[in-house]
Amino acid sequence: QVQLVESGGGSVQPGGSLRLSCVVFGLDLNNWAIGWFRQAPGKEHVGVSCSSNRNGITYYADFVKGRFTIQRDNAKNTVYLEMDTLTPEDTAVYYCAARAYCGSTWSEHNYWGQGTEVTVSS
């Protein structure tokens, strides 16, 4: 059974950092791209970053470039999202999702996690 499990969310002050984890069960990460999405209250899912299974290519949305870093550890079947210099606009539920290759459309992924909540507030 395929399962994606996110963790690492929480509350942090502006300027702070969090590290999210996405552990993947039932899939060989060598064959899958893993994307991170976020959904703010009342809004759609938005692509944040993606780690491709091809040649270590990574993608970032413009609004997180220079602040977020995505890393994968295929041996642990885990993808991480390091988030630095957080702002209140980063407040959302963060999800990971699996697809054969990176894509920015939430619904076009094959598997999704349940999400981990991030709140940035003073």
Side-chain angles (χ1 to χ4, degrees):
Q1 182 178 357
V2 176
Q3 196 173 7
L4 281 66
V5 181
E6 303 96 335
S7 63
S11 295
V12 64
Q13 291 187 340
S17 299
L18 284 173
R19 188 193 196 203
L20 306 183
S21 298
C22 172
V23 182
V24 180
F25 300 93
L27 294 177
D28 182 351
L29 264 195
N30 289 292
N31 300 323
W32 291 87
I34 300 296
W36 282 97
F37 290 78
R38 70 187 189 187
Q39 185 179 32
K43 297 189 176 181
E44 300 291 321
H45 290 89
V46 176
V48 174
S49 182
C50 184
S51 171
S52 172
N53 56 316
R54 301 166 192 267
N55 300 321
I57 295 173
T58 57
Y59 300 91
Y60 297 94
D62 287 343
F63 53 82
V64 302
K65 280 182 181 177
R67 300 189 300 124
F68 289 14
T69 304
I70 191 169
Q71 293 176 310
R72 65 163 56 206
D73 186 338
N74 286 355
K76 295 183 178 180
N77 253 33
T78 302
V79 177
Y80 305 96
L81 185 68
E82 178 72 37
M83 307 189 297
D84 299 317
T85 320
L86 287 162
T87 73
E89 290 70 35
D90 295 316
T91 295
V93 178
Y94 284 72
Y95 301 85
C96 58
R99 189 181 179 190
Y101 49 89
C102 283
S104 60
T105 305
W106 169 256
S107 61
E108 292 180 350
H109 285 67
N110 299 93
Y111 304 100
W112 303 264
Q114 294 300 307
T116 184
E117 189 167 1
V118 172
T119 302
V120 185
S121 174
S122 55

